[in-house]
Amino acid sequence: MCGQCGFILNGTGLIGQLLTASESAMVHRGPDSTGFALYGEELAEDMIIVRARLARGVDPDIAIENIEHNVTAVRGRFVSEPQMTNGVNGSGTFLRILVNCSEPPALLLDAIESVEGTYVHSMGRRLEIIKDVGTAEEVAACHGILNFIGTHGLAHSRLATESTVDVELSHPFWARPYLDVAIVHNGQLTNYYKMRHLMSQRKLKFLTENDSELIAVYIAEQLSEGKTLREALWKSIAELDGVFTYLLATDTAIGCATDPLAIKPLVVTEVGSTVAMATEEQALRQVFDTELVTEYVREGSVTVWPVEAATEREKSAYSA
Amino acid sequence: MPNDTSTETQLPEIMPDAVHIDAEGLDAQELNRQLRNLSQFHSYVVVHNPRARHNLGIGLESSSCEIHFLGSVGYYCGGFNAGANIVVHGNAGWGLGEAMASGRIVVKGSTAWAAGAGMRGGTIIIEGDGGPRTGIAMKGGDIFVIGSVGFMSGFMAHRGKLVALGGAGDALGASMYEGRIFVAGPVASLGADALERELDEADLRELSKDFEQLGLPWPQEPIRKIEAEGRLWYFDKHEGRIWRSI
């Protein structure tokens, strides 16, 4: 089943609070785990926010020391003391590290993950992925999601179908090693192994064996080659096989693609300049008091909503 | 599919003696229990704040009562309906009136997937558009859609009648048994084994009677009748190709 939602605000606001309220209404669609992809204020060039988890049983102090040592080895440095949060029901230690590094993100990623028991959830100038086992309310309360201020974001409650209940296998997924690209996905791919084989030949890497992570990397690779988000999404409909209605976020837009049968629904509404989308209509109505004009995303279609704060040039690129 | 707005101002000016319930704070089970009781003693029940929640108005008994939902409803509204009159002043989610036996459901807006799935009797009237798979596996009853219906509508319909006045998506009437589809407007494609047939006198009489009763305007575009050709009723392994619908 899975329940997903996304919001684009007019400017900045309490994005975490909106996503939590909306996702809480869809707990019945996926009680296993919940995740958020939040986009905050943009950092300066060279600054990267790293969100990661240390496995249960790993000593956080020693691990952080090792991570800092490895980051220094790739000419990076910690900008501030890493923030540590204990996960829901002892699911590990969650880290938020602000790093200054001008090397390619892939190098930094390898440096951090070479410390045993460290799993990087996201890296970006604005993107922060927080995911944990538990319901939306539990995860939000534990990780301070409700106070997060940002421009847009995605959230997802997962009902595990293809793989086990696990923090790393929860959505959203980060398109490693591409900064600021995140995905939430409802459905399952049937040509996963074929696609993964082809992509591995192009030296693309994955943290998990989850099909949704593959879509994120697939789209991010095309964006890095200069394709627009809209073009990349259309290509995915032609090349991916199976069931999918997914939301892909970058720092400037949220895009959606559906397979030709679109059995997984997505309802979209616009209230003022706020765009909101969710698997179930009632999840949107938890957030807005006014009566809504809603629209279901069509089968085999692509939609792109630019983030208000994006520059005019970027907007025109997405509408092309 | 386009949907329309629904506001409280659309509520008709009847029902001076209506009973009002606020769905806010009631769980679906409790709300349905109250609806079942109230509908036996009152002519009108008005439900406020349905907020597109699921499973509203399930298993209601036959009565002369009209139940109005002021706003959109979620999945499976009016499921297992056994004779109640339900009016939704908004849109309806997935599986509206699923497996209903009798009664009537009117939706002022549009519906999502599979309205009237497996219904056995009664009438569903959708004033906006019906989503994909409208009338899937219906085994009786009538569905009238003023707008269009989505892909694979009437899929595996055993019996019953689906009328769409604004056209239909791909694979209309795929793999049907004895159901009938009447459609006006553009049809993207017909499904496996679906065949267009001439409207006969009896059909015209039946439709004009329905339209008159429901107060629907006769469509400008000609009405086409879609039925099963019957090639899929008996399985032959050499005929794999005709089993494909999309």
Side-chain angles (χ1 to χ4, degrees), chain B residues 94-162:
Chain B
W94 190 293
L96 172 91
E98 180 158 6
M100 71 187 264
S102 60
R104 186 168 142 149
I105 303 178
V106 179
V107 180
K108 299 285 182 187
S110 298
T111 60
W113 282 247
M119 68 190 278
R120 294 181 171 272
T123 310
I124 292 179
I125 300 146
I126 301 165
E127 298 191 1
D129 292 329
R133 303 184 178 85
T134 297
I136 182 172
M138 61 191 287
K139 298 171 181 69
D142 302 331
I143 302 178
F144 295 90
V145 184
I146 315 286
S148 64
V149 289
F151 61 82
M152 290 188 105
S153 287
F155 179 55
M156 290 185 79
H158 292 51
R159 207 162 285 167
K161 179 169 69 186
L162 169 63

Side-chain angles (χ1 to χ4, degrees), chain A:
Chain A
M1 293 253 280
C2 301
Q4 56 193 20
C5 64
F7 281 85
I8 300 177
L9 303 182
N10 179 19
T12 52
L14 286 166
I15 185 78
Q17 203 173 331
L18 286 174
L19 289 167
T20 307
S22 180
E23 205 57 56
S24 301
M26 293 192 287
V27 165
H28 55 278
R29 294 191 73 92
D32 299 341
S33 42
T34 312
F36 299 87
L38 306 168
Y39 288 81
E41 299 282 359
E42 187 162 7
L43 298 178
E45 195 83 2
D46 299 348
M47 297 274 269
I48 290 173
I49 311 166
V50 178
R51 283 278 188 173
R53 182 181 79 101
L54 300 174
R56 214 183 280 214
V58 172
D59 185 329
D61 294 329
I62 298 172
I64 288 173
E65 205 171 293
N66 289 338
I67 292 171
E68 186 161 17
H69 178 261
N70 289 357
V71 167
T72 316
V74 291
R75 289 171 294 284
R77 64 179 177 87
F78 282 13
V79 175
S80 53
E81 197 67 16
Q83 293 169 16
M84 281 192 278
T85 312
N86 287 321
V88 179
N89 297 328
S91 58
T93 309
F94 289 73
L95 300 180
R96 180 185 191 271
I97 315 173
L98 211 53
V99 180
N100 189 323
C101 181
S102 49
E103 294 295 320
L107 265 183
L108 180 62
L109 175 62
D110 284 346
I112 297 171
E113 280 198 336
S114 60
V115 175
E116 205 181 330
T118 309
Y119 305 102
V120 173
H121 288 171
S122 76
M123 276 169 45
R125 296 223 164 75
R126 301 179 58 187
L127 169 67
E128 299 187 39
I129 290 180
I130 302 107
K131 52 187 183 182
D132 203 347
V133 289
T135 63
E137 274 161 6
E138 285 167 358
V139 175
C142 179
H143 294 274
I145 305 288
L146 298 173
N147 303 322
F148 193 98
I149 292 180
T151 50
H152 61 299
L154 306 173
H156 188 279
S157 321
R158 175 164 185 255
L159 183 80
T161 52
E162 302 286 287
S163 42
T164 58
V165 178
D166 183 77
V167 180
E168 271 66 54
L169 294 170
S170 313
H171 296 232
F173 284 98
W174 169 49
R176 54 181 48 215
Y178 303 96
L179 297 180
D180 290 319
V181 181
I183 194 171
V184 288
H185 165 217
N186 189 3
Q188 50 273 108
L189 298 187
T190 45
N191 62 347
Y192 171 73
Y193 288 103
K194 186 178 149 203
M195 292 294 294
R196 179 158 172 144
H197 178 68
L198 290 173
M199 289 168 73
S200 300
Q201 286 178 336
R202 299 202 294 273
K203 302 277 184 276
L204 293 167
K205 288 188 180 141
F206 307 92
L207 176 63
T208 67
E209 296 204 328
N210 186 290
D211 52 352
S212 314
E213 187 187 13
L214 179 134
I215 307 177
V217 179
Y218 172 88
I219 298 287
E221 185 198 16
Q222 295 182 56
L223 294 177
S224 73
E225 287 167 355
K227 280 207 173 69
T228 64
L229 181 55
R230 193 176 289 273
E231 286 166 354
L233 293 173
W234 274 118
K235 193 155 180 261
S236 78
I237 295 180
E239 291 193 353
L240 299 177
D241 189 45
V243 184
F244 54 87
T245 293
Y246 66 81
L247 292 171
L248 189 125
T250 69
D251 51 346
T252 52
I254 293 181
C256 168
T258 56
D259 67 84
L261 289 176
I263 194 80
K264 304 292 186 186
L266 189 78
V267 185
V268 185
T269 190
E270 291 185 28
V271 178
S273 326
T274 300
V275 186
M277 53 222 97
T279 304
E280 290 183 14
E281 196 169 332
Q282 51 100 14
L284 297 177
R285 288 174 196 276
Q286 295 300 320
V287 176
F288 300 108
D289 274 340
T290 50
E291 190 56 49
L292 301 175
V293 184
T294 55
E295 198 168 327
Y296 278 92
V297 171
R298 297 299 302 239
E299 65 276 9
S301 72
V302 162
T303 323
V304 173
W305 300 274
V307 174
E308 279 302 309
T311 64
E312 288 304 317
R313 184 185 57 77
E314 283 161 337
K315 270 191 202 173
S316 60
Y318 284 122
S319 60

